[in-house]
């Protein structure tokens, strides 16, 4: 029997069966890969070769009123790495003879080189690499400047393919401490103080993203970068502040503050007709480029906006305006004014310097800054009426600026005043204000009785050019034009005939001002101590008010009267009148009787 054909057929059948089985396995495996596991495998593949990174939207600038940048952004770089590809390398270079060289570098040597270039810590970088050895991304050092970036880039190009970079923005303040109290600063956790924080919605950029592909060796493939989301820059915040005036004002209060041994000082320059703040200076003040130099947390912002104090005799200008507006007094209302005054409840007040009993008009009382005199005429107006005027002057609300840390209330309800407090409030004791509140009082008087919101920001210009201006200014009528204008005229007597006339007079200009020497309450609540806040607030030119200047010094040690503030007021106001080319006064001040 011939079995050979049968055997051949059997082998062929078996071979065919094996082939069919193998094809079946491949088909099943191919179906599993292409259909069942396709999404997962694609994701894994994409994760190995496609890298996503953030693209940063630059933070917008803060500028002065002329466009000078007070806070801006500069380019910085984060140095990153792919731990999964971090390995010893051979880098190429050029020897002294111009020949190409090759040098082996371990991972530790590469990190040491990066640390030397950037000033970072090699140990910290090593920890970042080893935290997850299979990761595709790790930060080595953040925020290096352009020179350091270029040096690390050269190292990468020489053969360290596992180094990468991210571009980001960092904050810089080109004028240092000039307006640093207003701009605030940005820290590692974002905006920390001032306008950087309160105006973040204008300034903050919107980050985007991009992807690039990487080869099996970890090297970025040229031309593979794809933007997945566009980054958008932040807007520009324009302030009302005059940079040159801000600088001069800061210098003036710092110089005098040091000379009189003061603890701190503030100065405000405000435009009467608009409420715009042209300068808001503090001393000491922060340099946003090096915040660590500022030891007192209270100096990181602006005490002109946030520090409450009893204003003292600058308040008498407001009390006089109340009396005129209510018809309870005239500029020539008469009072017999002794040095001191005692009350049935045991309280006593007195004037700053001893004097015999005098016959003074309301104008003379302002000229001599008499506590006793203002109390004699001020008592014609009820405590509730005076409180209501204070509220209309804005003393119980933050300014319209909304600066970070502003107090929300400075005057307690009249119903809570005791009899002594009711008397003291007439000359600025027993109430709290800020330098901005005092400036607002004088802006109101200079603006014929209409209080305008204090304005620090002109508006925000978005990256696409869209401008969001500051809200429209709406004034509040506080006192009549007669009361305001007449008060300004009465305050001219302080400059022309008061104790500080030599220091306050500005040749060629009519100036209206009020001095203040306020007692400071002891921290333990046991009454007033020897510390003082000395100040001058004023308006010029008096016949057509343009500008308000308020200067104050806290806790001077060598000169504890308003004489310490008068020269600085003169210096700043003179500069303002010159800078803005205000014509000299052409008419004399009205002659208002000061005695009877």
């Amino acid at each position: 029997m011939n079995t050979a054909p049968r055997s051949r057929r059997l082998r062929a059948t078996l071979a065919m069966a094996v082939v069919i089985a193998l094809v079946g396995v491949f088909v099943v495996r191919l179906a599993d890969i292409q259909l069942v596991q396709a999404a997962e495998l694609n994701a894994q593949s994409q994760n190995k070769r496609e890298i996503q990174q953030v693209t940063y939207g630059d933070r917008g600038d803060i500028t002065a009123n002329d466009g000078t940048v007070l806070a801006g952004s500069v380019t910085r770089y984060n140095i990153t790495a792919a731990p999964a590809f971090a390995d010893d390398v051979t880098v190429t270079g050029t020897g002294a003879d111009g020949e190409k060289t090759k040098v082996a570098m371990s991972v530790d040597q590469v990190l040491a080189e990066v640390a030397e270039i950037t000033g970072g810590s090699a140990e910290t970088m090593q920890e970042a690499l080893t935290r997850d050895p299979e990761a595709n991304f790790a930060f080595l050092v953040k925020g290096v400047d352009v020179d350091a970036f270029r040096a690390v880039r050269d190292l990468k190009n020489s053969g360290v393919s596992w180094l990468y970079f991210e571009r980001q923005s960092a904050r810089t303040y080109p004028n240092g401490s000039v307006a640093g109290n207003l701009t605030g600063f940005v820290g590692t956790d974002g905006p920390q103080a001032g306008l950087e924080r309160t105006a973040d919605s204008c300034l903050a950029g919107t980050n985007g993203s991009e992807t690039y592909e990487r080869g099996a060796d970890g090297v970025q493939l040229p031309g593979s970068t794809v933007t997945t989301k566009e980054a958008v820059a932040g807007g520009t915040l324009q302030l009302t502040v005059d940079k040159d005036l801000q600088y001069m004002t800061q210098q003036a209060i710092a110089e005098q503050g040091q000379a009189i041994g003061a603890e701190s000082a503030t100065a405000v320059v405000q435009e009467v007709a608009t409420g715009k703040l042209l300068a808001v200076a503090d001393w000491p003040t922060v340099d946003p480029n090096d915040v660590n130099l500022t030891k007192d947390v209270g100096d990181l912002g602006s005490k002109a906006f946030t520090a409450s104090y009893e204003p003292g005799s600058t308040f008498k200008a407001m009390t006089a305006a109340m009396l005129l507006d209510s018809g309870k007094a005239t500029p020539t209302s008469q009072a017999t004014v002794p040095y001191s005054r005692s009350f049935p409840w045991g309280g006593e007040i007195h004037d700053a310097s001893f004097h015999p009993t005098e016959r003074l008009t309301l104008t003379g009382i302002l000229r001599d800054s008499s506590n006793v005199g203002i109390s004699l005429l001020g008592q014609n107006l009820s405590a509730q009426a005076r409180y209501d005027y204070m509220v209309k002057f804005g003393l119980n609300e933050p300014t319209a600026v909304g600066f970070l840390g502003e107090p929300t209330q400075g005057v307690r309800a009249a119903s809570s005043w005791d009899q002594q407090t009711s008397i003291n409030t007439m000359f600025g004791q027993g109430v709290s204000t800020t330098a901005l509140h005092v400036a607002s009082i004088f802006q109101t008087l200079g603006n014929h009785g209409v209080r305008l919101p204090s304005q620090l920001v002109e508006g925000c210009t978005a990256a696409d050019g869209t401008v969001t201006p500051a809200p429209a200014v709406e004034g509040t009528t506080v006192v009549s034009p007669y009361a305001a204008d007449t008060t300004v005229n009465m305050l001219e007597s302080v400059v022309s005939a008061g104790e500080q006339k030599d220091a306050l007079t500005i040749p060629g200009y009519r100036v209206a001002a009020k001095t203040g020497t306020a007692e400071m309450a002891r921290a333990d609540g046991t009454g007033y101590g020897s510390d003082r806040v000395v100040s001058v607030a004023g308006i010029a030119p008096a016949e057509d008010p343009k500008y308000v200047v308020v200067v104050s010094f806290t806790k001077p040690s060598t000169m504890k009267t308003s004489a310490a503030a008068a020269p600085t007021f003169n210096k700043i106001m003179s500069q303002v009148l010159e800078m803005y080319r205000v014509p000299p006064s052409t008419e004399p001040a009205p002659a208002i009787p000061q005695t009877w």
Side-chain angles (χ1 to χ4, degrees):
M1 181 176 182
N2 187 357
T3 62
R6 183 183 299 173
S7 177
R8 284 195 295 272
R9 286 196 299 274
L10 180 59
R11 287 196 297 272
T13 301
L14 290 173
M16 182 62 69
V18 169
V19 170
I20 292 172
L22 288 173
V23 170
V25 169
F26 283 125
V27 169
V28 171
R29 182 59 177 161
L30 185 62
D32 181 55
I33 291 173
Q34 290 190 335
L35 300 177
V36 179
Q37 300 185 54
E40 180 182 355
L41 292 174
N42 279 336
Q44 292 177 359
S45 172
Q46 192 80 346
N47 185 52
K48 292 293 185 183
R49 64 183 174 83
E50 186 175 88
I51 304 300
Q52 181 168 327
Q53 63 182 10
V54 175
T55 57
Y56 293 90
D58 290 342
R59 190 170 181 80
D61 293 343
I62 301 176
T63 69
N65 59 4
D66 64 350
T68 301
V69 175
L70 300 172
S73 294
V74 293
T75 299
R76 293 290 184 262
Y77 294 88
N78 297 329
I79 310 301
T80 68
F85 296 98
D87 204 351
D88 299 346
V89 294
T90 299
V91 299
T92 60
T94 304
D97 57 0
E99 294 294 322
K100 292 292 184 181
T101 62
K102 292 189 175 183
V103 179
M105 292 184 72
S106 66
V107 172
D108 287 346
Q109 288 174 318
V110 171
L111 296 181
E113 182 73 12
V114 173
E116 183 177 352
I117 293 171
T118 63
S121 165
E123 291 76 12
T124 302
M125 296 180 198
Q126 180 65 40
E127 180 183 347
L129 277 183
T130 57
R131 189 177 297 120
D132 183 1
E134 300 303 317
N136 290 318
F137 179 89
F139 281 113
L140 296 185
V141 59
K142 296 182 179 181
V144 303
D145 62 23
V146 175
D147 290 338
F149 156 71
R150 288 172 177 165
V152 176
R153 184 184 59 186
D154 291 342
L155 179 62
K156 173 184 174 67
N157 293 339
S158 71
V160 189
S161 60
W162 44 269
L163 289 176
Y164 300 92
F165 313 99
E166 283 184 347
R167 179 189 175 277
Q168 69 172 62
S169 292
R171 216 57 173 151
T172 184
Y173 303 86
N175 295 281
S177 64
V178 177
N181 59 329
L182 304 177
T183 64
F185 51 90
V186 176
T188 55
D189 295 327
Q192 300 295 303
L195 293 167
E196 290 279 26
R197 184 167 172 179
T198 57
D200 188 54
S201 58
C202 168
L203 297 167
T206 302
N207 293 339
S209 60
E210 64 182 19
T211 62
Y212 63 86
E213 294 187 5
R214 184 167 59 192
D217 58 357
V219 177
Q220 181 175 342
L221 299 179
S224 64
T225 301
V226 175
T227 299
T228 55
K229 180 183 177 182
E230 291 284 354
V232 179
T236 297
L237 189 75
Q238 185 176 23
L239 307 188
T240 60
V241 170
D242 184 312
K243 189 261 294 183
D244 293 335
L245 182 60
Q246 178 77 18
Y247 170 78
M248 190 281 298
T249 303
Q250 287 185 204
Q251 293 296 108
I253 62 172
E255 179 182 335
Q256 183 69 348
Q258 292 168 351
I260 63 176
E263 182 181 275
S264 62
T266 64
V268 178
V269 181
Q270 188 169 28
E271 192 172 49
V272 168
T274 64
K276 291 180 179 180
L277 297 167
L278 303 178
V280 180
D282 291 273
W283 172 82
T285 192
V286 64
D287 182 346
N289 291 312
D290 195 348
V291 176
N292 292 330
L293 291 176
T294 302
K295 304 305 180 185
D296 186 343
V297 174
D299 295 332
L300 294 177
S302 173
K303 287 183 177 178
F305 278 102
T306 63
S308 295
Y309 65 97
E310 296 182 50
S313 293
T314 54
F315 224 55
K316 291 171 185 168
M318 182 175 64
T319 302
M322 297 177 189
L323 291 169
L324 296 178
D325 186 66
S326 61
K328 299 297 184 179
T330 69
T332 57
S333 290
Q334 300 172 353
T336 301
V337 183
Y339 162 68
S340 64
R341 184 183 181 194
S342 299
F343 300 94
W345 57 84
E348 182 180 347
I349 62 173
H350 56 79
D351 289 341
S353 302
F354 178 80
H355 60 81
T357 299
E358 298 174 319
R359 298 194 300 179
L360 300 176
T361 64
L362 178 55
T363 304
I365 288 169
L366 290 180
R367 178 200 66 189
D368 293 350
S369 196
S370 173
N371 296 337
V372 174
I374 202 69
S375 73
L376 290 169
L377 294 181
Q379 65 190 6
N380 293 326
L381 200 58
S382 71
Q384 185 61 50
R386 286 185 280 112
Y387 171 81
D388 291 342
Y389 272 113
M390 293 179 197
V391 171
K392 289 174 69 177
F393 270 100
L395 302 186
N396 254 7
E397 61 189 53
T399 70
V401 173
F403 201 83
L404 198 65
E406 286 193 52
T408 58
Q409 183 177 16
V411 184
R412 292 181 290 113
S415 59
S416 69
W417 296 353
D418 58 30
Q419 291 174 301
Q420 188 65 48
T421 299
S422 181
I423 294 295
N424 291 350
T425 57
M426 299 180 197
F427 48 84
Q429 299 281 178
V431 292
S432 294
T433 61
T434 66
L436 263 297
H437 282 124
V438 174
S440 183
I441 291 171
F442 281 76
Q443 179 277 324
T444 302
L445 297 177
N447 196 41
H448 314 298
V450 177
R451 177 169 64 90
L452 298 175
S454 297
Q455 183 182 345
L456 183 61
V457 174
E458 291 277 12
C460 175
T461 303
D464 63 1
T466 303
V467 178
T468 303
V473 173
E474 293 186 8
T476 300
T477 299
V478 178
V479 295
S480 67
Y482 160 77
D485 297 348
T486 303
T487 300
V488 171
N489 289 337
M490 289 193 295
L491 291 175
E492 289 189 73
S493 67
V494 176
V495 178
S496 62
E499 192 175 63
Q500 301 301 324
K501 64 178 182 180
D502 291 339
L504 293 174
T505 299
I506 299 176
Y509 292 93
R510 287 169 52 186
V511 178
K514 186 69 197 75
T515 58
T517 302
E519 296 179 335
M520 295 186 68
R522 296 188 184 97
D524 60 7
T526 58
Y528 293 98
S530 60
D531 288 328
R532 300 286 185 268
V533 175
V534 299
S535 58
V536 175
I539 302 166
E543 74 278 12
D544 183 18
K546 300 292 188 186
Y547 302 101
V548 169
V549 171
V550 178
V551 174
S552 66
F553 295 92
T554 301
K555 295 184 179 180
S557 60
T558 62
M559 189 183 299
K560 297 188 176 186
T561 70
S562 56
T568 308
F569 169 87
N570 186 308
K571 184 175 185 178
I572 295 172
M573 183 63 87
S574 297
Q575 184 68 28
V576 170
L577 296 172
E578 180 181 345
M579 286 181 67
Y580 294 106
R581 300 180 180 178
V582 177
S585 300
T586 57
E587 298 180 1
I592 305 175
Q594 299 163 25
T595 59
W596 57 278

